[in-house]
Amino acid sequence: MEIENTNPNVYQKCGEREWVSTDEDDSVSDPFDTREIFDLVRVINDPEHPLTLEELHVVQEDLIAVDNDKSEIKVNFTPTIPHCSMATLIGLSIRVKLLRALPPRFKVTVEITPGTHSSEHAVNKQLADKERVAAALENTHLIEVINQCIAV
């Protein structure tokens, strides 16, 4: 496999989330927030480089939206180059990580940040199609690659 972006920009990781006393109190309502979702996806490994999606700025907290009342989560991600052939794989990795980690009540939408990829519309269409996603996840090689990306 030929690496498309041989010299990507690498960014500093943000600090760990600060915990408060109510974080471990089960009697306190604790809705999901953007930082919690970011913490789930920031550690996903890039399929081409030994770096995380956070280190490559593929995922950023300000590109995540959480609506607890509607049980909706939307994650935009930004490929490192406009013609990245791994964009669909990265989107699938984000989607699988969230589907495995979140309660099933959430509708998860994963899309490319508008204007950052040459095939943005086609990739977003694939990631939004439940049947295509299900078929992709039945491919044993593909699920192995995704599992390697999301393994922490």
Side-chain angles (χ1 to χ4, degrees):
M1 179 176 84
E2 184 178 324
I3 295 178
E4 292 177 340
N5 188 0
T6 56
N7 193 20
N9 292 328
V10 180
Y11 300 86
Q12 184 174 352
K13 294 179 181 182
C14 67
E16 293 299 316
R17 182 181 185 143
E18 291 187 29
W19 291 93
V20 293
S21 59
T22 58
D23 285 340
E24 295 182 11
D25 185 349
D26 290 336
S27 66
V28 175
S29 176
D30 184 22
F32 286 90
D33 60 19
T34 57
R35 179 55 193 253
E36 194 165 2
I37 303 305
F38 177 67
D39 285 343
L40 289 169
V41 299
R42 70 187 248 188
V43 296
I44 296 173
N45 295 307
D46 181 79
E48 287 188 323
H49 300 285
L51 300 164
T52 65
L53 297 185
E54 176 188 20
E55 291 171 309
L56 294 171
H57 264 205
V58 172
V59 294
Q60 299 173 53
E61 186 177 357
D62 62 346
L63 297 177
I64 297 171
V66 177
D67 187 332
N68 281 284
D69 295 332
K70 293 182 181 177
S71 297
E72 295 177 346
I73 293 176
K74 182 174 182 181
V75 176
N76 282 347
F77 69 98
T78 308
T80 58
I81 52 177
H83 55 278
C84 176
S85 65
M86 297 288 158
T88 304
L89 178 60
I90 291 168
L92 280 171
S93 296
I94 294 168
R95 188 170 177 78
V96 168
K97 176 76 174 194
L98 293 176
L99 291 174
R100 288 181 182 174
L102 295 172
R105 70 179 172 96
F106 280 101
K107 178 184 187 295
V108 174
T109 304
V110 178
E111 294 181 343
I112 291 179
T113 305
T116 63
H117 193 273
S118 57
S119 300
E120 166 190 337
H121 178 71
V123 173
N124 287 344
K125 187 175 178 181
Q126 285 181 314
L127 293 173
D129 187 327
K130 290 181 184 181
E131 291 176 4
R132 280 181 163 174
V133 170
L137 299 180
E138 289 178 6
N139 179 316
T140 54
H141 174 69
L142 186 56
I143 198 66
E144 282 178 23
V145 174
I146 290 171
N147 284 335
Q148 288 174 351
C149 289
I150 66 176
V152 179

